[in-house]
Amino acid sequence: MSDQSPDRKQMRAERQRHIQNQIRERKVVFAVYVILRIIVIASLVLAIIRGEYESAFVCVLALILFLLPHFVERTFRIDIPNTLEIIILLFIFAAEILGELQNYYIQFPYWDVMLHTVNGFLCAAVGFSLVDILCRNEQDKFRLSPLYMAIVAFCFSMTVGVLWEFFEYGMDCIFHTDMQKDTVIHALHSVTLDPTATNTVVSLDGVQSVTVNGVDLGHGGYIDIGLIDTMNDLLVNFVGAVVFSVIGFFYIKYRGRGKAGRFARHFIPTITEESSNEQTESDNQ
């Protein structure tokens, strides 16, 4: 035990120095992290006092998710750019605290649209960096076609978007939630309404009310149960994925140099120099 104690103290001291260096180098990220964490902890305390345990669980989940960027950096030795890390932290806060606890999804019609757009952007960044990081050798990394890298990032983002919609649909069917929000529409175009059964589209325009079991739903139109919401989510996910794919394309094309390359660096995770040097030494051996 006496032999291990100094080693543990040294490791603890090195860890503390590393954290202090990270704080000095990333003052803005640390400030955003601390502010958001304080807000979430205050919300957690209020939720417990009020007996709102579901809200408390959301707060705990948000606090755990806040640790993910640091966990990924430490575990996989990946450097997440400050700009991207701030976007991730704000995204978690906007989705969990503002969206769920403060009901921003209901109060602001485009809140969900904004988050799905950002999600498409972030997932494209993850997909791009996966290929970029797997190709650890610097020379091999840039042999990949910029168009190929952009397509991989785009496809990864869209796949995650589709899987998330599957999850929402499953939650609605199994647990009777309403993750796929309904949409009020005022026109129907369906072959189901064709009395001749000849596959002819019958249109009903200007729908003002719908009655179910003798009860007027009172929304001034027909309620679409999630299809329009799902397609809108996938569409804005597509937009976010395309935006990042274009950024990634120019990052590879200009090798991270030039105005386009420098701009792209703010959004693309990379391997830390320490990990890269270790990989190079391993390859040489």
Side-chain angles (χ1 to χ4, degrees), residues 59-96:
C59 292
V60 172
L61 177 61
L63 292 174
I64 294 174
L65 292 176
F66 281 160
L67 298 174
L68 278 181
H70 179 70
F71 173 80
V72 171
E73 287 184 320
R74 291 283 296 173
T75 304
F76 302 102
R77 297 182 180 179
I78 294 173
D79 180 31
I80 300 177
N82 293 353
T83 303
L84 182 61
E85 188 166 351
I86 291 174
I87 292 175
I88 293 173
L89 294 174
L90 292 177
F91 176 81
I92 296 170
F93 182 79
E96 298 297 332

Side-chain angles (χ1 to χ4, degrees), residues 132-147:
D132 192 44
I133 290 169
L134 288 174
C135 299
R136 290 175 178 268
N137 186 285
E138 193 73 17
Q139 295 179 351
D140 291 340
K141 177 172 62 177
F142 289 118
R143 288 174 186 170
L144 296 175
S145 165
L147 181 60

